Amino acid sequence: MMDEQLARALHGAGLLSRETLTQAARSRRQGETLARALLRMGLLPPAEILRFAPHALDDAPAAPVAPAAASAPEIGSAERDNSDLEGEFTVEGADGAADPSQAPVVSFTNELLRIAITMGASDIHLEPRANGLLPRYRIDGQLRPGQLLPPDLTLPMVSRLKVVGGLDITENRMPQDGRFRASLGKRTFDFRVSSLPSLHGEKIVLRLLDHSSLVVDLAQLGFGATDRAAFEAMLGRSHGMILVTGPTGSGKTTTLYAALAGTRDETKNVITVEDPVEYELEGVTQTNVHHDIGLSFASVLRSVLRQDPDVILVGEIRDSETADVAVRAALTGHLVLSTLHTNSAVAAVTRLQDMDVPPYLIASSLAGVVAQRLARLNCRHCRVPVPADDPARLENSAALELAPDAPMWRGSGCTQCGNTGSRGRVALIELLHVDTNLRRAIMDKEDSDTLRTIARKNGFKTLIDDAREKVVAGHLAPEEAMRVLVGHEE
């Protein structure tokens, strides 16, 4: 009877869904009460249970809480605070007053951008189709369709965005790029605009950059305590090269900016070379490359070295010339941070070798490599245990090298997460510290497998290891971990 009363009270208070309570009841061990099951599974802390049933935990000593069910630390960017977004959406330097006939289009476009901001979108796609204009919003890495707009709005809205983005509205046969700044409430946003001719008109994609959303806390990005301490130690060096690797969209720039936040102060000259500058950082000199006029990463980097820098951020090492200049800068008393497109941390060594950087220079300059992927977090509001009889549990357990009865969680879908089961993202991290043994192996031109074996002996954890820990901790669904790790080099 007490279990039924507790279940009704918790459901009535909106703390747990009916599905979650049913799952908890089914997972009770012999002689275990619902309260004990909820505590063991970590669905509620003891204080919440006792608020509704003061004597529910009096019958036996408190059961240990499984690691997967423990109150999850704040990692990733799951919760969005929109309390400071009240007010009018305004675009700097643009309004609809000059042409009253355009006022409805201006208002409609502004409302569409405002919706994207409140939803936490990183990109907005406006796709012309035969039957209208379809807006789609990229949220937590997934595109979500909006409401199809009438065909007669396609040209006016595209023209409006081209005007505010500084694009040529008379040119609709060539791709164009631009940008503009807007504000909503107390926050400021930058929009990068890209147009592309398509069958039914120009497609517009806007990248939304929220100045207030830049995460500079390594723990919140997804770094564990050990990796965070090791990475901060690397950033404390006076010279050397630190690389962040991963595919496009894996959060490399965010990690670099977080690293800069830990290194910049009034005693250091920090300069970045980017393509393009995404976020403005106070106290940092930021430079854009311009390929059209021959201002490449390598050429700007050579000029930066004459500016007496302490820390240099190079947006990306794309070619042999940039790699050579960056490595030699790291050898001559500068801390160099940059990115590479490789699948793993160890592969960064062979990638530099492919760029014709001599092994002895790599061994002497490379301080460490971070490889990362972005994975979607389980929604904290609808997270439920994966049932023991779930058909995919055995397969996922084997792939992640987990015990068949290891705790696993996934989001069931709710209004908070748009019924997707996920909300926010977190980085899966592997951190390679280049020590004496690895330097010797790099100079001997050992292959990636040998380098990985040497690193493993010194406690190196791969992306799969980090994913396994985050699955057991309840942050990731096992299916999400497997999706992200497809093609990863173990």
Side-chain angles (χ1 to χ4, degrees), residues 383-412:
R383 188 185 70 166
V384 296
V386 176
D389 57 353
D390 189 290
R393 173 184 267 277
L394 192 59
E395 180 182 349
N396 291 328
S397 298
L400 293 170
E401 299 179 8
L402 287 169
D405 60 346
M408 295 180 182
W409 303 74
R410 68 163 68 102
S412 59

Side-chain angles (χ1 to χ4, degrees), residues 148-167:
L148 185 69
L149 305 177
D152 56 358
L153 277 176
T154 299
L155 185 57
M157 290 189 67
V158 168
S159 297
R160 168 63 181 172
L161 290 169
K162 290 176 70 174
V163 167
V164 297
L167 279 60

Side-chain angles (χ1 to χ4, degrees), residues 210-400:
D210 182 357
H211 290 254
S212 66
S213 69
L214 182 62
V215 178
V216 296
D217 184 351
L218 294 175
Q220 192 175 352
L221 287 177
F223 280 77
T226 302
D227 285 344
R228 180 183 181 183
F231 190 50
E232 289 176 343
M234 291 179 192
L235 295 173
R237 294 169 56 112
S238 61
H239 67 280
M241 183 164 64
I242 302 172
L243 298 175
V244 181
T245 74
T248 300
S250 59
K252 299 187 297 294
T253 300
T254 301
T255 299
L256 284 180
Y257 280 170
L260 275 188
T263 60
R264 58 178 173 162
D265 58 47
E266 293 300 323
T267 67
K268 292 180 179 178
N269 179 21
V270 182
I271 302 179
T272 73
V273 185
E274 305 176 61
D275 182 24
V277 172
E278 293 195 357
Y279 294 95
E280 295 182 15
L281 301 175
E282 186 177 355
V284 176
T285 302
Q286 296 175 270
T287 307
N288 268 316
V289 301
H290 294 284
H291 297 288
D292 294 343
I293 59 174
L295 202 60
S296 63
F297 278 112
S299 60
V300 176
L301 189 51
R302 288 193 182 92
S303 299
V304 165
L305 291 174
R306 295 191 286 271
Q307 292 280 317
D308 186 32
D310 296 294
V311 181
I312 305 171
L313 185 152
V314 183
E316 183 182 349
I317 296 178
R318 298 176 178 173
D319 50 53
S320 300
E321 186 181 11
T322 306
D324 181 68
V325 178
V327 165
R328 295 183 187 278
L331 287 172
T332 54
H334 308 92
L335 183 63
V336 178
L337 311 177
S338 191
T339 70
L340 272 179
H341 283 283
T342 65
N343 286 331
S344 66
V346 171
V349 175
T350 53
R351 181 77 179 102
L352 289 173
Q353 291 173 349
D354 291 341
M355 292 182 175
D356 298 324
V357 180
Y360 72 90
L361 289 182
I362 300 174
S364 302
S365 62
L366 192 60
V369 185
V370 177
Q372 65 181 64
R373 302 286 191 279
L374 282 182
R376 301 184 195 105
L377 285 165
N378 284 330
C379 175
R380 297 188 180 101
H381 301 278
C382 62
R383 188 185 70 166
V384 296
V386 176
D389 57 353
D390 189 290
R393 173 184 267 277
L394 192 59
E395 180 182 349
N396 291 328
S397 298
L400 293 170

